[in-house]
Amino acid sequence: MVNYLSMTYPTKTFKLPTLEGISEKQMKVHLALYEGYVKNINLIMEKLEAVREGTLELDPYIVAELRRRFAFEFDGMRMHEYYFEQFEGEKGGSPESGLAKAAAEKYGSGEDFIMHIKEVAGSRGIGWVVVYKDPIGKTLHTTFVADHEVGQLAGLPILLALDLWEHAYMVDYIPAEKKNYIDAFFANLNWSVVEKRFNEAA
Ligand SMILES: [Fe+2]
C-alpha cells in the first residue's frame, strides 16, 4: 500500500547528451537549482504534515505562507523535469506526427509553430513558455507562465516547457543574448519527447 503521508519526491537524474550552445557548466548549475526545488517541496510537505498532525506549531501566518509557496516549489520541481527530459535521447520528431498536424492546424505549419513559441519566449520577465494540449477543446495553447506557477492552465497536459529564467542561460549568455539561448534550446530539443507527451495526453 502506498503511504501517502510519508512520501517524498526523489531527485530525478537525466541522461543528457552533449548539447550545442548550452554548456555542461550551464546544465550543472541548472540541475543543482532543480535539486533545490525537490528539497524544498519535500521540506514544505514535511512541515505542513507536522502542523496537521500537531507535532509542530507555527504561526498561522507562516502556515498560510507555506501553503502559498507550495505551488512555487512543486512547479519549480516538475517544470524542470519537463525541461531536462526534452534533451534526453536521440533527437527525433516527425512532420507526420499528431503533434505536427495539430500545430499546423492552429499555427499554419511546424515552422510557424516554432516561430510563435519564440515570439512568446521574447516576453519580458522571468518564467516559462509552456505548450499545452487541450483534449477538451481539441487544440494547443502556448502561454507564458510567470515564476513557475502563475498562469498555468488547469489540468492541461504539458507538451513543451522552455525555461526563461535567467539562471537557465546566464552561464553561457548575457540577458541581451536570450535569443541565442532560445535558438540553442530548439537546436537541442528532442521533438520525439514532445510528440510522446502529445500522444499520451488524454
Ligand atoms: Fe530553471
Side-chain angles (χ1 to χ4, degrees), residues 106-152:
K106 172 143 186 185
Y107 298 100
S109 69
E111 243 169 63
D112 291 325
F113 177 41
I114 294 170
M115 289 273 286
H116 180 68
I117 296 170
K118 287 184 175 181
E119 192 191 319
V120 179
S123 307
R124 285 175 59 76
I126 51 161
W128 298 76
V129 171
V130 187
V131 178
Y132 303 87
K133 179 182 183 180
D134 180 5
I136 295 171
K138 298 196 189 329
T139 190
L140 302 177
H141 291 298
T142 304
T143 67
F144 192 90
V145 169
D147 284 351
H148 305 299
E149 79 282 26
V150 182
Q152 294 275 10

Side-chain angles (χ1 to χ4, degrees), residues 26-202:
Q26 173 67 74
M27 286 311 251
K28 210 176 150 197
V29 166
H30 206 171
L31 283 162
L33 197 124
Y34 155 67
E35 285 176 27
Y37 286 109
V38 180
K39 191 178 146 205
N40 280 293
I41 188 61
N42 286 328
L43 196 69
I44 286 188
M45 287 198 305
E46 194 187 307
K47 280 188 192 298
L48 288 175
E49 188 184 321
V51 168
R52 272 199 314 274
E53 287 179 342
T55 54
L56 175 68
E57 208 175 308
L58 293 175
D59 186 288
Y61 186 86
I62 293 173
V63 176
E65 193 54 27
L66 283 173
R67 289 180 181 136
R68 279 197 193 93
R69 297 296 287 178
F70 191 95
F72 176 80
E73 302 293 358
F74 181 91
D75 286 5
M77 168 185 71
R78 191 56 52 84
M79 292 303 287
H80 282 100
E81 289 165 357
Y82 280 113
Y83 178 77
F84 292 121
E85 276 167 16
Q86 298 164 147
F87 300 124
E88 288 185 311
E90 214 164 291
K91 271 190 286 176
S94 162
E96 301 303 318
S97 69
L99 170 68
K101 283 174 192 159
E105 254 178 55
K106 172 143 186 185
Y107 298 100
S109 69
E111 243 169 63
D112 291 325
F113 177 41
I114 294 170
M115 289 273 286
H116 180 68
I117 296 170
K118 287 184 175 181
E119 192 191 319
V120 179
S123 307
R124 285 175 59 76
I126 51 161
W128 298 76
V129 171
V130 187
V131 178
Y132 303 87
K133 179 182 183 180
D134 180 5
I136 295 171
K138 298 196 189 329
T139 190
L140 302 177
H141 291 298
T142 304
T143 67
F144 192 90
V145 169
D147 284 351
H148 305 299
E149 79 282 26
V150 182
Q152 294 275 10
L153 303 184
L156 295 198
I158 290 172
L159 306 181
L160 182 148
L162 167 50
D163 194 340
L164 290 161
W165 280 61
E166 283 152 355
H167 68 240
Y169 59 90
M170 275 200 64
V171 172
D172 293 334
Y173 303 100
I174 60 168
E177 294 169 336
K178 185 164 91 169
K179 193 186 162 298
N180 301 30
Y181 157 70
I182 294 164
D183 288 341
F185 171 83
F186 280 103
N188 294 293
L189 176 65
N190 182 359
W191 279 102
S192 304
V193 175
V194 185
E195 287 174 6
K196 188 166 175 273
R197 290 173 185 164
F198 179 90
N199 296 335
E200 286 173 357

